[in-house]
Amino acid sequence: MDRALYVAMTGASETLRQQAINNHNLANASTTGFRAELLASATAAVQGPGLPTRVNAAAGTAGWDTRSGGIQQTGRELDVALAEDAWLAVQGRDGREAYTKAGDLQLDASGQLRTASGLAVLGDGGPIALPQAQGLTIGGDGTISIQPLGSGSETLAAVGRLRVVRATPEQLQRGDDGLMRSRDGAPLAPASGNVVSSGALEGSNVNLPEAMVNMISLARQFELQTKLMKTAEDNAAASSTLARMTG
């Protein structure tokens, strides 16, 4: 069979994968702290006799967009935005420590601090659970202080501290769940100083115009590749007809 069919088929398959990634980015354009996955593909030479004039498309990994999202002031006491190289430690679905920029925190019925997606937020000693209180503040270093029930506004008690780590993009890898993890599997070092801004959230870093242009471009690319597959099929049928006529 003509190798052009394989070239078109692998290209169409890779385009579908990139469409799925781009659509996932679009769907999370308003998700707090979301980091967009980058589109990528690679080429591999078609092996066999003949001139090396054709290549197959192959899956490639470009990682994730390291740009920060915009900061929005909310005034909510449980919302936190983190410094550019600071990440909030959470417990992933697999039980391992993972990192996120999603700072829209909330308390569940048992007083455990969680992200909006339900992941337990980690402190220095594990998941953070807070007692009932009249008020709550989160300091720049991640320290959580509460105003105990029945006390005045001048009374604050420190009850925990967010585990915030410092990491460069080279130290992190993005999982399929959108969470970051240490490349070597070891827990990252805690961040120091004022790395937390209370009453604010970092938005998604998805570039909407760019993602929309990518969606249109990928759709046209897929259409071209399917037309090429149809052309290869027509050529094969014409060749079979000619072979029967001359046989």
Side-chain angles (χ1 to χ4, degrees):
M1 187 178 292
D2 194 324
R3 291 181 199 161
L5 182 57
Y6 288 98
V7 174
M9 180 271 294
T10 56
S13 177
E14 181 62 17
T15 299
L16 283 177
R17 188 188 74 86
Q18 293 196 8
Q19 282 179 327
I21 293 172
N22 191 67
N23 291 344
H24 181 66
N25 289 342
L26 276 171
N28 286 279
S30 60
T31 300
T32 301
F34 181 79
R35 288 292 187 266
E37 188 175 357
L38 298 177
L39 307 181
S41 61
T43 57
V46 176
Q47 301 299 319
L51 297 175
T53 57
R54 291 176 178 163
V55 294
N56 285 343
T61 302
W64 47 282
D65 190 342
T66 60
R67 293 175 296 183
S68 298
I71 302 298
Q72 177 183 2
Q73 300 296 323
T74 66
R76 182 172 174 267
E77 59 187 10
L78 282 176
D79 285 345
V80 293
L82 299 113
E84 182 176 358
D85 57 351
W87 296 81
L88 180 65
V90 297
Q91 189 173 54
R93 305 293 182 191
D94 57 1
R96 296 169 52 205
E97 181 172 297
Y99 310 104
T100 183
K101 288 282 189 177
D104 44 349
L105 310 182
Q106 52 190 250
L107 290 171
D108 65 14
S110 62
Q112 189 164 17
L113 193 61
R114 296 185 179 274
T115 65
S117 60
L119 300 176
V121 176
L122 298 180
D124 294 333
I128 297 176
L130 302 178
Q132 290 187 342
Q134 293 184 193
L136 178 150
T137 61
I138 300 177
D141 63 349
T143 298
I144 304 173
S145 301
I146 64 168
Q147 178 186 346
L149 293 174
S151 64
S153 59
E154 72 285 353
T155 303
L156 290 177
V159 292
R161 182 179 177 182
L162 300 175
R163 173 162 162 71
V164 179
V165 303
R166 191 178 298 278
T168 62
E170 293 75 21
Q171 294 176 278
L172 300 170
Q173 61 181 3
R174 185 182 188 279
D176 292 337
D177 54 4
L179 297 174
M180 304 298 172
R181 292 177 175 81
S182 171
R183 285 191 178 276
D184 59 10
L188 297 170
S192 58
N194 291 325
V195 291
V196 177
S197 298
S198 180
L201 289 176
E202 179 179 341
S204 169
N205 72 345
V206 174
N207 185 321
L208 268 176
E210 180 181 335
M212 292 297 293
V213 169
N214 284 337
M215 182 178 67
I216 297 170
S217 176
L218 290 168
R220 291 176 177 172
Q221 186 174 325
F222 182 77
E223 181 181 1
L224 178 63
Q225 288 156 341
T226 53
K227 285 182 178 178
L228 181 56
M229 284 190 282
K230 183 64 169 66
T231 299
E233 180 185 0
D234 293 342
N235 288 343
S239 298
S240 297
T241 302
L242 288 174
R244 286 196 299 270
M245 292 173 62
T246 58

